[in-house]
Amino acid sequence: MSMTPYADAAERARKMPKAPVPQAAQGPEISKAGYALEEIADGVFFLGEGMYNMMFVVTDEGVIAVDAPPTLGHNILRAIRSVTSRSITHVVYSHQHSDHVGAISVYPDDVPRYAQRITAERLAALDDPNRPLPTHVFDDTLTIDAGDHSLQLDYKGPNHAEGNIFIYAPKQRVLMLVDVIFPGWVPFSNLAVSANIPGFVNAHEQALGYRFEKLVGGHVNRPGTPDDIRTQIEYINDLRSTTEAALSSVDLNEIMAPVDPANAWAVFKAYLDAVAAQAADQLVPRWTERLGGADLFTLPNAWTMAEALRLDYGRMGPFGIAP
């Protein structure tokens, strides 16, 4: 027997063939400079390196920078300098996670920094010098007016993170919502490791409440559109209905036959793994040619949806109220 069963299983998974990346998931080539830069609306720029992205807005008064993924790091400043000589005048935190804002320290220290109150509280607790504390904190909404541009910062409740916000340029019809919409791809593993699954689900329709043409989602390799949100809503609805059906249709006796009933965690793992597997077996063939990564992350997404259905939506399956 192998002495490294988990490492061996991970290696086998890495070597398994992967589904081709569908056309919907294709994005622009990354330049030799290490990033792709696109003006997606008047003065609004999408900046990405293929896995992470952000935006910045060039105004009459300067530059509003939203987020700072470490994988872009100092390339953010190079990209800004490639289109304007104006100074950075405002910095916005979408939320507190370091993979999106862990390079905020590359911006000048004296520039105002904006964040929703919960994000500010999380940043204070984390005490990370690469994520300096916000200087301007808001609860529900705040508008940054800068010359000929404005950014509307809205908080609609917890979704991916407790303080994750909608960032909207109304004149340019650009919306930024990080770690919720993944244009051309299924959501990242375990529904983007979201803090609040009902909030994550609701954020899709909330996003469509804005009048926008371009979306910056924070991940993967291209800007999005309202149609990308509609497609992801279709995926989420399919994921939810298929997983909910599996919660009550898996054969519990067959699943539990080899499991020691005294091992509580083994019982729950066996059940939830079987639910997720049954759902994924049905879902993956329907989505592999439509969204990138359907073969990779639908199984953990179904697992997380199963738990959300049980714990948040009250769909308890065989673990409901005892007679």
Side-chain angles (χ1 to χ4, degrees), residues 268-285:
F268 268 97
K269 178 172 171 54
Y271 173 65
L272 292 170
D273 284 355
V275 168
Q278 178 171 308
D281 280 342
Q282 297 176 42
L283 288 159
V284 171

Side-chain angles (χ1 to χ4, degrees), residues 284-314:
V284 171
R286 295 200 286 265
W287 286 97
T288 296
E289 295 182 359
R290 296 187 62 187
L291 292 177
D295 57 324
L296 303 175
F297 283 157
T298 294
L299 180 65
N301 284 343
W303 199 100
T304 295
M305 180 60 78
E307 278 295 78
L309 285 163
R310 292 187 337 103
L311 305 181
D312 293 313
Y313 297 110

Side-chain angles (χ1 to χ4, degrees), residues 103-316:
I104 292 284
S105 58
V106 306
Y107 300 132
D109 292 339
D110 59 350
V111 173
R113 296 180 294 272
Y114 298 79
Q116 201 277 337
R117 187 170 303 280
I118 299 172
T119 296
E121 292 171 353
R122 298 294 184 269
L123 290 168
L126 293 166
D127 192 25
D128 179 1
N130 289 317
R131 290 175 282 174
L133 294 181
T135 59
H136 294 65
V137 176
F138 68 97
D139 290 307
D140 300 318
T141 189
L142 181 149
T143 298
I144 299 173
D145 290 309
D148 55 338
H149 290 67
S150 66
L151 276 188
Q152 179 180 322
L153 313 181
D154 293 327
Y155 179 63
K156 298 178 180 294
N159 47 63
H160 164 69
E162 304 97 322
N164 198 32
I165 61 173
F166 295 74
I167 301 136
Y168 180 51
K171 182 179 176 182
Q172 291 75 24
R173 294 196 176 188
V174 174
L175 177 67
M176 183 170 178
L177 176 60
V178 175
D179 281 336
V180 175
I181 310 300
F182 301 80
W185 298 79
V186 300
F188 186 76
S189 185
N190 298 94
L191 293 178
V193 199
S194 293
N196 188 299
I197 298 301
F200 172 87
V201 172
N202 293 341
H204 293 67
E205 294 289 353
Q206 291 168 343
L208 288 178
Y210 291 86
R211 297 180 63 189
F212 72 97
E213 296 173 2
K214 294 290 186 179
L215 171 81
V216 179
H219 271 290
V220 293
N221 50 1
R222 67 169 175 84
T225 67
D227 281 343
D228 286 309
I229 298 181
R230 295 184 186 101
T231 298
Q232 190 165 306
I233 288 173
E234 187 181 345
Y235 173 84
I236 292 294
N237 288 343
D238 197 7
L239 178 74
R240 178 172 176 171
S241 61
T242 304
T243 305
E244 185 168 2
L247 280 172
S248 56
S249 64
V250 296
D251 188 331
L252 196 60
N253 290 330
E254 179 181 348
I255 292 165
M256 295 306 169
V259 178
D260 177 3
N263 188 334
W265 282 178
V267 169
F268 268 97
K269 178 172 171 54
Y271 173 65
L272 292 170
D273 284 355
V275 168
Q278 178 171 308
D281 280 342
Q282 297 176 42
L283 288 159
V284 171
R286 295 200 286 265
W287 286 97
T288 296
E289 295 182 359
R290 296 187 62 187
L291 292 177
D295 57 324
L296 303 175
F297 283 157
T298 294
L299 180 65
N301 284 343
W303 199 100
T304 295
M305 180 60 78
E307 278 295 78
L309 285 163
R310 292 187 337 103
L311 305 181
D312 293 313
Y313 297 110
R315 309 295 194 267
M316 297 299 293

Side-chain angles (χ1 to χ4, degrees), residues 37-47 54-67 76 79-81 83-92 107 111 144-153 167-176 214 216:
L37 179 64
E38 179 184 352
E39 187 172 12
I40 56 176
D42 180 28
V44 181
F45 290 83
F46 171 94
L47 176 63
M54 57 167 286
M55 78 176 185
F56 63 87
V57 182
V58 179
T59 78
D60 289 345
E61 298 178 355
V63 176
I64 307 171
V66 185
D67 285 357
I76 300 169
I80 291 172
R81 286 196 295 267
V83 298
T84 183
S85 60
R86 294 170 187 162
S87 301
I88 296 169
T89 54
H90 306 76
V91 171
V92 177
Y107 300 132
V111 173
I144 299 173
D145 290 309
D148 55 338
H149 290 67
S150 66
L151 276 188
Q152 179 180 322
L153 313 181
I167 301 136
Y168 180 51
K171 182 179 176 182
Q172 291 75 24
R173 294 196 176 188
V174 174
L175 177 67
M176 183 170 178
K214 294 290 186 179
V216 179

